Amino acid sequence: MAAYSQTPDWSGAVSALRQSTSVLIIAHVTPDADALGSALAIGLALESLGKSVQVSVGEPQFQVPMSLNFLPGQHLVVPPENVVVPDLVVSCDTSSDARLGSLAESLNAAPISIALDHHASFTGFGTIHLIDPVAPATAALALELIDRLGVELTVDIATAIYSGLATDTGSFKFQGTTADTLRVAARLFEAGIDHATLARRLFDDEPFEALVMMAHAVQHAVLDRQAASGLGLVYTAISLADRGTMPELSMERVIEALRRTSEAEIAAVFKQADDGTWKGSLRSKTEINVGAVATALGGGGHHYAAGWTATQDLDAAIANLKTELEFAARG
Ligand code: MN
């Protein structure tokens, strides 16, 4: 049984937002374009309704990473230390309040909090739930909320929404993409987005050292054909030393490269965090639900994309992953 209502409470969310005067919108830590794009789009919509809006991420002295600094609405972003207590909090693309970092307290202390998310592993925090595990991106739900608030779709809002939608669908390649997804994308084109520039900023714009890191990670990739009852696993690891000054998003490209491997149903990348722990990212092609695998390992996610933080050393983390994949493959 899921820890949330299966029917999004749109009318509850709209009336709470209409009655509010100050709103804090939180994206998950190490935000991607879906989390931050959704937060900024909603922020711009609420600003146009005369609300006082803050957008933040619960990381010390948070600043928008360079890879996302083209998103409209940057003037709404405040570091968590400067957040003024709002009367309503919205979380975007966050399945567990632990992923809100230092702002989890702000959400849990707020009299009204709206959780907007598309993770099947959503844990049920917040007082109003707008959860749809079938939605291809939180950004699609953000647009529905903006529509229901009666706010006009400006080019800035459309740009922020498109960034989330294009990212979470892998440029409209992933399984969750539907005819409705493309109809939403068409609306965003009609609103005037510059999709070619956005695609370059989102997918094809990295410093040279990212290419060097990619080469290193790919060269050290391991193919285990026996893993997952013979479905196959391809994996690599990126240590702190390999990472250098690379931002988080560039490392996502590594798993996108690995998952092309024909001989492997599953791709995994282990990234070492600043505190030395290993964060695992998982992708599957069809059969294996890596969201369930990641949940068993203490993380969470979707059928085709998921992640967790390993508490062991790298060899043990790889061994644990293989054990869980074996369980998953045997059903
Ligand atoms: Mn998302």
Side-chain angles (χ1 to χ4, degrees), residues 28 32 34-35 93 117-119 136-139 164 168 302:
H28 62 69
D32 57 11
D34 191 30
D93 199 43
D117 189 30
H118 69 134
H119 292 89
T138 294
D168 266 35
H302 309 285

